[in-house]
Each structure stands twice: as C-alpha cells, then as structure tokens.
Amino acid sequence: MPVESRPEKSQRPSSQLQRRIEKKLDARREQHLLRKVSAFHHQGAKLVDGDNLSYLNFSGNDYLGLAQDPSVIAAWQEGLTKYGAGSTASPLVTGFTHAHQDLEQALCDWLGFDQAILFNSGFSANQAVIFSLLEKSDVLLQDKLNHASLMEAGMLSEAKMQRFTHNSIEKLDALLRSNANAPARFVVTEGVFSMDGDLSPLADIKFRCEAHDAWLMVDDAHGIGVLGDEGQGSAHIANVKPDILIVTFGKAFGMMGAAVMCSESVHQYLTQFARHYVYSTAMPPAQAYALSHALSMVKSQSWRREKLAVLSACFHSALSDCSEVINTITPIKPVVLGSVERMQTVAQSLKQTGFLTGAIRPPTVPANTARLRITLSVNQSEAQVSDLAASLRRCIEEGA
C-alpha cells in the first residue's frame, strides 16, 4: 500500500515581533553589549569552566566565603532531613514553618526591628514594598545609581518617581521640598552601591527625611554581613534606623532570598497586600534553617570581616597610583576603563592569566563608564590579590 505523502510545511513568514527581537539582538552585538551565560564549577576561590580551565574568582558576591562553607552545607542538609525539600505552598497557606519563624526572629534580634518578612529574592522584596505601599499621588525619590530592581519598581509603580543625583543631599532636599504636598514621600537608597562600592550618606539622608516627614528605605544587599562589628550593615555603622531595611542573602550570607525588616504595622500590611509574598511559594524551610546557621556565623566570626579589610588594603596599596581604580572600604573594587572595548580587552587579558573579573557595561552602568567590577572574598589569599593587582597594573600600563 503506497504511503501517503505529507504536504510540505510552508515556511512561516517572519513576524514583526521576531524581526524586532533580531534587530535588538543585532544592535547589542554591534555595540559589544550582548550578555552571555557561562557554566562554572565552584571550588573555593576558583572557578572551573566547561573546558576544565581554572580561574581565580574575583567576580562574585560571596564576600564572607559562606557559600562553600562545610558547616553551612551541613546545616542545609540537616534542614532537608528535618523539613523536606520544599515549602509546598505560599506562606499564607501552609508554606510558613518554624524554620522561617526562627529566622525572622533571629533577624529582628540582630538588627533591632519589630518584624521581618521573608522573600525569595532581593528583587522581589524591593518590588513588593514599592508596589504595595505607594499610591498614585505619592512621590518616590531614588538615588540615580540604585539597583535595577528598585528603578523598575519605580517605573511600574503608580507613584511619581523622581531621581536625585548620586549621594547628593542637596538634590534630595530640594526634591523633598518641592513635593511637600504629596500624601507620602518615600526615599530609597542602597546602603552600599553595587557597581561603585561606595556608601550612602545615610545619617544625612535620614535627617532630611525626618525633617520632611518622609520615609526612608535602605537596600543593604552589599553592606549586610560585611560592615560593622557583627556585620549589621550600613545603617548600623551610620547609627540610623530606616523605616524599612532590605536584607538579602545572596551576597555575604552565601545563599539566596531576602527579608524586609519593618514595623509591626508594615508587616501586617505587606502580609495583606504584597503580591510577591501572598502569591509565591515560600522559600524552602531547609534554606531558612541554613540561613539561621549562616546568621550565627556572620555575627560571631568577625575574622571574616577582618580578613576582607586586609585584602582590601593589599589591593589598594598595590594600585594606589592607578586613577582607574576607585578606592572603597567595601569588597567591591571598581576599575573604570571608559569604553566597552577597552574594558573587554582588559577583562580578556586578565582571564588569560587566570583571573575572572566582572565585566560591567552599559546599560548596567552609565555610558562611557564600562568597568571591571572586582570583588574580594574571604576565600582569596593576600598572595592571590597581589598577583591580580600586578596583572591588572600591567594591563592598564600596556594599554590593553
């Protein structure tokens, strides 16, 4: 019996959406801005790629070296045994466990807030707060260098967003004055800025907020765990208590997730109206259990912060006369090289000598400020930091 032939499929004409996608990707390629994802195996301070090539990692956010710490891993394994693999529901259904409750209480005791509410990422925590609290006639004032999660939340929020010049108290004060009639004024800043490694002048900002009856929210993703005697972060060393503090666990804690530190009333409000909280599966209880263990290490093991200070001094001492290197007291060390082409050349040269650094380009940073974002970690040694500094100096001096 003859086999019935199938009609050939006609090629689908390129849709307008497909053409738009291809056009924007082509533009990114031409501007040397196309991002790519690479898979690595983490081995302490080293990264091993798919070709089994090893690099010293100066590009991550594991500042305190907890991501690969055996006791943190053991705590997560113990949590799995106690609570299982997942929470299986949102917090308001059955996803909230004693492990979550214990973590929230430990955070409150550590940071001096009435309540904490857990989220699966800093991105969702930031957006949940802004989307939930602010209404159409309110005013949101943000530092121009705030994280993308905050900026996107501001653009999508019903509130009117205005941005003030980075760390400019004068510009902030002027905006607060010009919006005096707004029902609510909500100021948002990072504690440590992720691309520059510098600190926000929180004491001055808090003073202005109080003078103008405005609330202050601080996203301390890169300060918590790193700054202060017990790692209590940017607000603590500035002797400031913001109305809302965002604590994330993807940096110094070595894991993921976030907490919003707040008052009892704000906690109740977010529990009712924060859609990221109400309609998301809660973080796994085993993770919350491991985070409680990591918190005890962050508080008690001050040697980790002391080592970061030593590594920071080593780095800046070796590169003190390089104008491209921005001096910071945090583990984030920006090396501003200007053009994307120059930044990529230096990054590739360092990679060839065994150092992996963060290659940051627009739109993550402003045009003509492409940079290496070098980060320090307890996993690194002074000798490794010195070797990186020497290689970086050669690249800069040779015009790489």
Side-chain angles (χ1 to χ4, degrees), residues 11-28:
Q11 187 172 1
R12 183 179 179 181
S14 177
S15 67
Q16 183 174 342
L17 178 57
Q18 183 62 36
R19 291 194 297 271
R20 184 196 309 164
I21 290 171
E22 291 171 355
K23 182 179 179 180
K24 291 197 172 184
L25 288 175
D26 287 342
R28 280 286 174 97

Side-chain angles (χ1 to χ4, degrees), residues 124-193:
S124 61
N126 282 336
Q127 298 211 336
V129 171
I130 291 174
F131 289 160
S132 304
L133 292 185
L134 301 183
E135 299 180 356
K136 189 172 183 179
S137 53
D138 297 333
V139 173
L140 170 64
L141 304 178
Q142 296 214 52
D143 189 292
K144 280 191 174 182
L145 296 188
N146 275 355
H147 188 264
S149 61
L150 295 166
M151 289 303 178
E152 183 183 79
M155 290 186 286
L156 297 176
S157 168
E158 293 182 346
K160 179 177 73 172
M161 182 175 73
Q162 295 180 326
R163 301 189 299 169
F164 56 93
T165 305
H166 177 52
N167 279 349
S168 173
I169 301 301
E170 293 73 19
K171 293 293 185 181
L172 172 60
D173 191 69
L175 288 175
L176 287 167
R177 291 179 186 278
S178 65
N179 290 287
N181 295 325
R185 289 158 302 286
F186 197 75
V187 178
V188 181
T189 183
E190 295 187 48
V192 173
F193 289 89

Side-chain angles (χ1 to χ4, degrees), residues 117-351:
I117 183 167
L118 300 175
F119 288 84
N120 285 317
S121 71
F123 205 106
S124 61
N126 282 336
Q127 298 211 336
V129 171
I130 291 174
F131 289 160
S132 304
L133 292 185
L134 301 183
E135 299 180 356
K136 189 172 183 179
S137 53
D138 297 333
V139 173
L140 170 64
L141 304 178
Q142 296 214 52
D143 189 292
K144 280 191 174 182
L145 296 188
N146 275 355
H147 188 264
S149 61
L150 295 166
M151 289 303 178
E152 183 183 79
M155 290 186 286
L156 297 176
S157 168
E158 293 182 346
K160 179 177 73 172
M161 182 175 73
Q162 295 180 326
R163 301 189 299 169
F164 56 93
T165 305
H166 177 52
N167 279 349
S168 173
I169 301 301
E170 293 73 19
K171 293 293 185 181
L172 172 60
D173 191 69
L175 288 175
L176 287 167
R177 291 179 186 278
S178 65
N179 290 287
N181 295 325
R185 289 158 302 286
F186 197 75
V187 178
V188 181
T189 183
E190 295 187 48
V192 173
F193 289 89
S194 58
M195 291 298 116
D196 291 78
D198 58 338
L199 276 61
S200 173
L202 290 179
D204 290 337
I205 290 177
K206 179 63 173 175
F207 178 80
R208 296 305 196 283
C209 287
E210 291 179 345
H212 294 283
D213 191 27
W215 276 30
L216 172 62
M217 170 174 144
V218 176
D219 176 1
D220 206 25
H222 296 273
I224 202 72
V226 173
L227 300 175
D229 293 338
E230 289 189 356
Q232 291 153 303
S234 305
H236 182 77
I237 64 170
N239 197 27
V240 162
K241 185 177 180 181
D243 297 283
I244 293 175
L245 176 69
I246 307 296
V247 173
T248 63
F249 308 127
K251 281 75 179 178
F253 277 71
M255 283 181 271
M256 62 178 295
V260 175
M261 310 303 301
C262 56
S263 66
E264 175 67 34
S265 60
V266 171
H267 180 275
Q268 286 290 330
Y269 189 90
L270 292 176
T271 301
Q272 309 307 313
F273 300 108
R275 298 172 69 86
H276 293 72
Y277 182 76
V278 175
Y279 298 110
S280 291
T281 300
M283 73 165 58
Q287 178 184 335
Y289 185 84
L291 282 166
S292 292
H293 177 77
L295 173 55
S296 68
M297 296 175 68
V298 169
K299 291 170 57 178
S300 63
Q301 296 183 2
S302 58
W303 67 265
R304 296 179 184 270
R305 286 176 288 276
E306 292 166 3
K307 182 174 181 181
L308 284 177
V310 170
L311 296 179
S312 180
C314 176
F315 180 83
H316 286 301
S317 175
L319 297 164
S320 59
D321 58 340
C322 291
S323 60
E324 293 87 351
V325 178
I326 307 302
N327 199 318
T328 73
I329 66 168
T330 67
I332 301 169
K333 307 300 181 185
V335 183
V336 181
L337 297 168
S339 71
V340 173
E341 293 79 5
R342 187 186 181 203
M343 177 274 294
Q344 289 179 322
T345 300
V346 174
Q348 187 59 34
S349 296
L350 288 174
K351 186 176 181 180

